[in-house]
Amino acid sequence: MHERNAANGYAHPEMLVETAWVAENLGRPGMCLVEVDVDTSAYEQGHLPGAVGWNWRTDTQDQLSRDIPSPEEFQALMERSGIADDTTVILYGDNNNWFAAYALWMLKYYGHRDVRLMNGGRQKWLAEGRPTTAEAPATTPSRYTMGEPCRELRALRPFVEESVGHAGRAMVDVRSPDEFSGKLLAPANLPQEGAQRGGHIPGAANIPWATAVGEDGCFKPRAELEQIYGGKGISADKQVIAYCRIGERSSHTWFALKYLLGYPDVRNYDGSWTEWGSAIGVPVEK
């Protein structure tokens, strides 16, 4: 299951599964596949057999306030998806697993023990000609027990403000260079809205999320990742904060830093630029 990932030297190779392993284990008892896409219509067009579909706009966001789902909402999501406390959850999605990584971060924040990412995501599965279906699976609702949130996985704005100029902390801005510079407020292919000002948090290193993956969407080996992040001052001896525009691309980098490189203290600032770029009185660099 983890041979390729162990060969890549990852700190936690069990956190990634390959498409071949998933193909061999479709329908395995105690395992739940979950697809989370940027394109919320992709799941209906075709998904892995047996996979549950989560809509990132409605299932992984609170519908009233700007936040992740409440514990009660999260519990309901897990139960209607048929996920119990001991279920192995395999997440995957489009855009190299942007929102799949965000959902994994959310599951880890709420303490789910066994959750993994399918390396290469939806794109790799389709490129390999593996089976898909348009039928949603029949799920049997489960019972799910909520624990205490792992708050150290999340950076809220006060913590980020304290971190500007802090010698023991490092920030990585995973957006494109044009977003980092303030030229764009969002990725070039998306509507340019969501923040009042462009730029970046002072002191942040710009390491776009995609530098962590190869052409097939799979993560690069550990030695390459260490050069990419360590070479820009994002090192294991610091508390690291990753951010983007709305927190999904930064979840992808959070995953690489925490589980592939094994950094001990990595936090996702899910408020990201849509919060920082609209907040009164916070410092901005261009």
Side-chain angles (χ1 to χ4, degrees):
M1 179 177 179
H2 314 309
E3 288 175 7
R4 167 179 169 166
N5 300 323
N8 279 325
Y10 298 142
H12 298 280
E14 73 282 359
M15 294 297 295
L16 273 178
V17 294
E18 298 302 315
T19 50
W21 184 89
V22 174
E24 291 167 10
N25 287 275
L26 289 174
R28 180 179 179 173
M31 186 177 92
C32 181
L33 290 167
V34 180
E35 178 169 334
V36 200
D37 297 311
V38 176
D39 174 5
T40 55
S41 68
Y43 176 83
E44 283 74 24
Q45 296 165 27
H47 50 267
L48 273 67
V52 173
W54 286 357
N55 184 312
W56 74 265
R57 295 179 184 276
T58 55
D59 290 321
T60 70
Q61 311 280 323
D62 185 279
Q63 296 303 288
L64 185 60
S65 62
R66 171 88 195 277
D67 209 341
I68 58 174
S70 68
E72 295 76 19
E73 290 167 334
F74 178 80
Q75 182 180 25
L77 172 65
M78 299 295 269
E79 290 182 344
R80 70 173 176 265
S81 302
I83 298 169
D85 304 15
D86 58 353
T87 300
T88 298
V89 179
I90 310 289
L91 287 154
Y92 75 95
D94 63 2
N95 276 44
N96 297 121
N97 284 328
W98 281 9
F99 276 105
Y102 179 89
L104 186 143
W105 168 75
M106 182 181 76
L107 263 68
K108 282 296 183 185
Y109 177 82
Y110 276 129
H112 191 77
R113 285 187 294 276
D114 192 357
V115 54
R116 307 149 195 237
L117 203 59
M118 186 176 82
N119 206 8
R122 178 186 170 93
Q123 169 193 331
K124 189 167 188 284
W125 184 272
L126 295 176
E128 292 168 347
R130 299 189 186 275
T132 61
T133 179
E135 289 184 30
T139 54
T140 304
S142 64
R143 294 192 66 178
Y144 193 83
T145 310
M146 293 297 296
E148 283 297 309
C150 301
R151 301 188 193 280
E152 67 276 8
L153 300 183
R154 190 182 196 193
L156 297 174
R157 189 167 63 110
F159 183 85
V160 181
E161 288 189 52
E162 291 169 17
S163 302
V164 176
H166 192 300
R169 296 178 187 169
M171 279 184 269
V172 54
D173 184 321
V174 315
R175 298 174 300 161
S176 65
D178 279 349
E179 290 172 272
F180 183 78
S181 71
K183 181 179 177 182
L184 296 178
L185 291 176
N189 61 331
L190 294 176
Q192 296 295 311
E193 91 288 319
Q196 292 292 312
R197 297 289 183 272
H200 58 267
I201 301 174
N206 185 209
I207 310 174
W209 69 274
T211 56
V213 296
E215 287 186 13
D216 62 354
C218 290
F219 286 101
K220 293 175 180 176
R222 182 174 184 170
E224 287 186 48
L225 295 175
E226 284 175 338
Q227 286 184 332
I228 289 166
Y229 295 103
K232 289 210 171 183
I234 308 301
S235 53
D237 60 340
K238 294 177 179 172
Q239 292 181 303
V240 179
I241 300 165
Y243 75 91
C244 59
R245 184 179 71 117
I246 57 173
E248 87 294 17
R249 288 175 287 172
S250 53
S251 298
H252 187 276
T253 296
W254 168 86
F255 179 89
L257 292 170
K258 182 165 182 64
Y259 294 114
L260 306 187
L261 290 181
Y263 284 16
D265 191 344
V266 191
R267 299 164 193 244
N268 185 32
Y269 174 32
D270 56 307
S272 280
W273 196 256
T274 49
E275 178 177 47
W276 193 271
S278 297
I280 302 293
V282 297
V284 170
E285 277 184 354
K286 286 201 170 191

